[in-house]
Amino acid sequence: MTLKKLMMADPSRWAVLDIVRSLDLADCWVGSGFVRDAVWDNLHGRVPNDLTADIDVIWFGSDDSNAAKDRALEAELHKIRPDLNWSVKNQARMNERNGDADYRSVTDAMRFWPETATAVAIRRSGQDQCEIAAPFGLDDLFELRLTAAGRSANEKRSVFLERLEQKQWLQRYPKLRIIDRLVR
């Protein structure tokens, strides 16, 4: 099943994408676990989870990169769907937190995320259309491979390992395989 078909078949996720589109922000997506968990649940023969985790809304706006704007957007989303755990982050400032060079877009920022399978985002682009941002492609996501990306494979490896334990991916998704690309 393609990512688009998977999202369209899940009324809850499709509705979330429509809500986020209503923010009318340039370069705005929903990513991380929202996408990853839906795919991995499907590949494990499960109904997708019920959106109890964070819904990571990521956007890029270099002209308005203060955290107050993100909090205002979260408040706006909570007014629409107070039952969801919204997390809004302008990627234009996340490079500072992560110790990276300036990011140029959401997709550019995602190249610095800890895992390839998590660095996937989606957005509604029309009534029955969506766009996918996946700087590392979709193979690892759909082939149940958890691979550290970029600096997380070496100098930031502890971030990758902490997330692996914290998220309990191997317990939740027993078909998942860890691909170790540690350069020795």
Side-chain angles (χ1 to χ4, degrees):
M1 178 179 283
T2 67
L3 184 53
K4 176 186 174 184
K5 287 181 181 176
L6 187 63
M7 289 294 149
M8 288 181 72
D10 184 334
S12 296
R13 279 182 168 72
W14 199 245
V16 163
L17 293 174
D18 199 40
I19 291 167
V20 171
R21 178 176 56 173
S22 76
L23 295 174
D24 200 29
L25 293 169
D27 202 7
C28 184
W29 307 79
V30 181
S32 301
F34 179 87
V35 175
R36 180 200 60 233
D37 289 354
V39 172
W40 288 355
D41 282 341
N42 178 267
L43 294 172
H44 279 80
R46 302 181 198 143
V47 174
N49 66 33
D50 59 1
L51 300 179
T52 56
D54 287 351
I55 297 178
D56 293 300
V57 178
I58 52 177
W59 67 290
F60 191 89
S62 57
D63 294 340
D64 198 359
S65 64
N66 66 57
K69 173 72 174 186
D70 290 345
R71 287 191 300 275
L73 291 167
E74 284 176 1
E76 189 174 334
L77 291 167
H78 278 286
K79 285 180 188 173
I80 299 167
R81 284 290 305 270
D83 58 313
L84 298 178
N85 190 17
W86 299 100
S87 174
V88 179
K89 298 285 186 289
N90 184 346
Q91 299 301 292
R93 73 169 196 287
M94 292 293 102
N95 64 300
E96 296 168 9
R97 182 187 78 177
N98 298 328
D100 299 325
D102 288 351
Y103 303 148
R104 299 179 306 273
S105 66
V106 165
T107 304
D108 183 46
M110 290 167 56
R111 292 182 317 106
F112 294 87
W113 287 9
E115 311 90 24
T116 58
T118 298
V120 177
I122 191 165
R123 68 180 173 190
R124 292 273 302 264
S125 58
Q127 183 62 25
D128 291 322
Q129 298 297 317
C130 63
E131 297 174 61
I132 298 165
F136 301 108
L138 298 173
D139 290 348
D140 281 357
L141 177 64
F142 278 93
E143 293 176 17
L144 292 165
R145 294 188 304 235
L146 191 61
T147 306
R151 292 170 42 201
S152 293
N154 293 304
E155 64 191 83
K156 289 186 172 184
R157 185 163 179 77
S158 63
V159 172
F160 173 75
L161 295 173
E162 285 170 23
R163 286 174 54 81
L164 180 62
E165 185 173 322
Q166 176 191 42
K167 304 277 184 183
Q168 297 185 332
W169 286 320
L170 295 175
Q171 291 80 10
R172 291 173 45 209
Y173 302 107
K175 296 178 185 177
L176 189 62
R177 293 176 297 131
I178 305 297
I179 306 300
D180 192 349
R181 292 189 179 151
L182 181 62
V183 177
R184 298 173 202 268

